[in-house]
Amino acid sequence: MAKRAVEHQPAPTADRPVLNSEQQHIVEWLKKVRFQKQLFGGVSEQDVWKKIDELNKLYEAALAAERIRYETLLETHQSGVAPPKEGVADGKE
């Protein structure tokens, strides 16, 4: 099976929405993560727990960013103001 290039990302669809920068960071981290091998038992349990902690922090950051985006959209909807352009909230412009 051929590997896809890291920079290639399929077009967004209903089941695969556009990723914000925090979510994209998680995707890149998952592609690069490697576990420390051990002579007996496969991988280091301590290293696995460390990687799980790192991943949890990435997910917490993504959740916080999504919560801010949601609250901003909710406030703009309630006030009747047009929502900000895409990319403004995650610093792309």
Side-chain angles (χ1 to χ4, degrees):
M1 181 160 89
K3 276 189 164 181
R4 292 191 301 186
V6 173
E7 58 272 17
H8 172 73
Q9 183 172 345
T13 62
D15 61 330
R16 188 181 188 98
V18 176
L19 300 178
N20 67 30
S21 61
E22 299 296 330
Q23 293 168 333
Q24 187 62 39
H25 187 68
I26 292 171
V27 169
E28 296 301 321
W29 186 87
L30 287 171
K31 288 178 182 179
K32 295 175 185 176
V33 69
R34 298 291 176 256
F35 296 97
Q36 188 177 43
K37 295 194 186 319
Q38 245 181 250
L39 185 57
F40 297 106
V43 295
S44 165
E45 183 178 351
Q46 185 178 14
D47 186 52
V48 170
W49 283 110
K50 179 182 169 191
K51 297 293 182 354
I52 289 172
D53 185 52
E54 288 177 31
L55 182 60
N56 186 50
K57 289 176 182 174
L58 292 173
Y59 272 110
E60 286 175 352
L63 181 60
E66 190 62 25
R67 185 173 292 130
I68 291 169
R69 187 184 76 83
Y70 173 77
E71 289 173 358
T72 303
L73 287 172
L74 187 60
E75 287 174 10
T76 57
H77 178 72
Q78 290 174 344
S79 67
V81 177
K85 294 190 308 185
E86 285 294 320
V88 173
D90 55 1
K92 291 183 181 173
E93 289 190 342

